[in-house]
Amino acid sequence: MRSLRDLLGRHRPERTAFVLSGGGNMGALQVGMLRALFERHIRPDLVLGCSVGALNGAAVALEPSLAMVGRLEEVWVDLEHRDLLPQGLIPATVQLARRGVSLHSNAGLRSLIESVLGSRTFSDLPVPFQCVATDILAAREVWFSEGPLVEPILASAALPAVLPPVEIDGVRYMDGAVLNDVPVTRAVSLGATHIYVLHTGTFERPRPEPRRPLDIALQAYWIARRARFQRDLGDLPPGVQVTILPTGEAPVIRFNDLSQSRALIDVAYRASAALLEGRPGPADEGVAQVSPHPA
């Protein structure tokens, strides 16, 4: 006899979620993935974002269309002309010895978010949207779904040591990716039956060889994120299908290189379009669809 959990999983209403991971400058990949989805008339009933995925996701929830994708493309291609991340002009030894909680201000990121979203609130978005940040003191993930958009997105993207924590209602937050980089479990808890994961990196793709302590710290951070994602995929309930959109042969770049957005958008678009059309793609795309409990 089938369990109640199994029966409920098989008969839940269809609901499509877009889940956008963190990934800093690699967030340009998500723009190519979004173009591939919208060109094939795949639109979300729910959008969840973490870190840079919170910015891209909020934009899509505001206007789920190819027109918004086009605007995001323009924004990402122009990023190399904005002051968003430290560019290595200060020697690494000096950076690590500096006082303060971060290497860089979030003023540039705030300006970017405001240029895309204005002063809108969660309730202004036609498509339900949530983003995640990490409560530093309580060591727990916190989901934002109401009120103004800018501060929660800043909090979700507050990369440790690189960007400062963000205080909201007396609570200090850092990057949501510390605890839940690819929130597929959140999508399931909100009723999603088909989840499109816009992940900014395949696990097989080579990463830059660490040269500095900060590179090692970021590598450890990435390993922890990967472990959580793999565990969550293994725990998917019955009736939930996950499609992981591929990055294609994305160039290997450092975390503060914002000059490769056009190339990232293009390779992710081609790889994701091939997947969605059932055509063969680049060898590094890996397993793109996950359904551990076939219907």
Side-chain angles (χ1 to χ4, degrees):
M1 180 179 295
R2 292 176 180 172
S3 67
L4 177 61
R5 177 172 176 269
D6 183 65
L7 290 172
L8 289 174
R10 292 174 185 274
H11 293 91
R12 65 172 67 189
E14 293 293 321
R15 195 176 193 202
T16 297
F18 287 4
V19 172
L20 293 85
S21 77
N25 56 346
M26 302 302 287
L29 293 165
Q30 294 173 342
V31 181
M33 297 170 184
L34 287 167
R35 177 165 291 281
L37 287 165
F38 284 121
E39 283 185 351
R40 285 147 192 85
H41 307 290
I42 300 172
R43 287 175 167 76
D45 302 304
L46 168 71
V47 180
L48 302 176
C50 176
S51 197
V52 71
L55 171 57
N56 288 334
V60 168
L62 173 63
E63 184 181 337
S65 70
L66 282 170
M68 176 56 80
V69 174
R71 184 177 177 195
L72 283 174
E73 288 181 2
E74 294 175 359
V75 167
W76 274 96
V77 171
D78 187 56
L79 282 188
E80 64 178 312
H81 305 300
R82 286 178 173 262
D83 181 26
L84 287 181
L85 294 172
Q87 296 298 312
L89 298 178
I90 303 175
T93 53
V94 176
Q95 289 186 23
L96 292 175
R98 291 170 64 187
R99 292 185 178 275
V101 296
S102 66
L103 296 176
H104 206 57
S105 163
N106 64 11
L109 180 57
R110 178 187 295 277
S111 176
L112 174 65
I113 296 169
E114 291 174 345
S115 72
V116 176
L117 300 173
S119 58
R120 291 180 174 85
T121 67
F122 284 86
S123 61
D124 293 328
L125 306 179
V127 178
F129 167 74
Q130 297 185 9
C131 66
V132 63
T134 299
D135 180 335
I136 297 173
L137 184 60
R140 66 188 180 97
E141 65 183 73
V142 174
W143 284 91
F144 293 92
S145 60
E146 59 184 27
L149 282 164
V150 174
E151 294 300 318
I153 294 174
L154 271 178
S156 185
L159 181 64
V162 177
L163 294 172
V166 174
E167 184 172 318
I168 302 174
D169 296 331
V171 179
R172 295 173 74 240
Y173 297 95
M174 66 170 55
D175 197 336
V178 171
L179 293 178
N180 198 353
D181 181 40
V182 194
V184 291
T185 52
R186 182 69 173 183
V188 171
S189 72
L190 294 173
T193 56
H194 195 154
I195 303 170
Y196 289 91
V197 174
L198 287 73
H199 194 10
T200 59
T202 60
F203 300 145
E204 295 78 16
R205 186 165 58 85
R207 302 181 67 80
E209 186 66 26
R211 297 178 182 175
R212 303 167 299 172
L214 182 58
D215 293 335
I216 292 292
L218 290 172
Q219 185 180 66
Y221 184 44
W222 180 83
I223 291 170
R225 291 158 60 183
R226 169 183 175 177
R228 166 71 189 262
F229 182 43
Q230 289 178 317
R231 183 171 66 250
D232 288 348
L233 287 180
D235 291 337
L236 288 174
V240 174
Q241 182 182 4
V242 175
T243 299
I244 304 172
L245 296 175
T247 63
E249 297 176 344
V252 177
I253 59 177
R254 297 203 171 275
F255 82 98
N256 58 352
D257 183 355
L258 296 169
S259 67
Q260 300 297 313
S261 292
R262 171 55 65 193
L264 294 170
I265 292 169
D266 290 346
V267 296
Y269 168 74
R270 291 195 298 269
S272 296
L275 170 72
L276 295 171
E277 293 174 1
R279 296 185 281 109
D284 71 334
E285 288 178 13
V287 178
Q289 291 195 340
V290 180
S291 185
H293 305 283

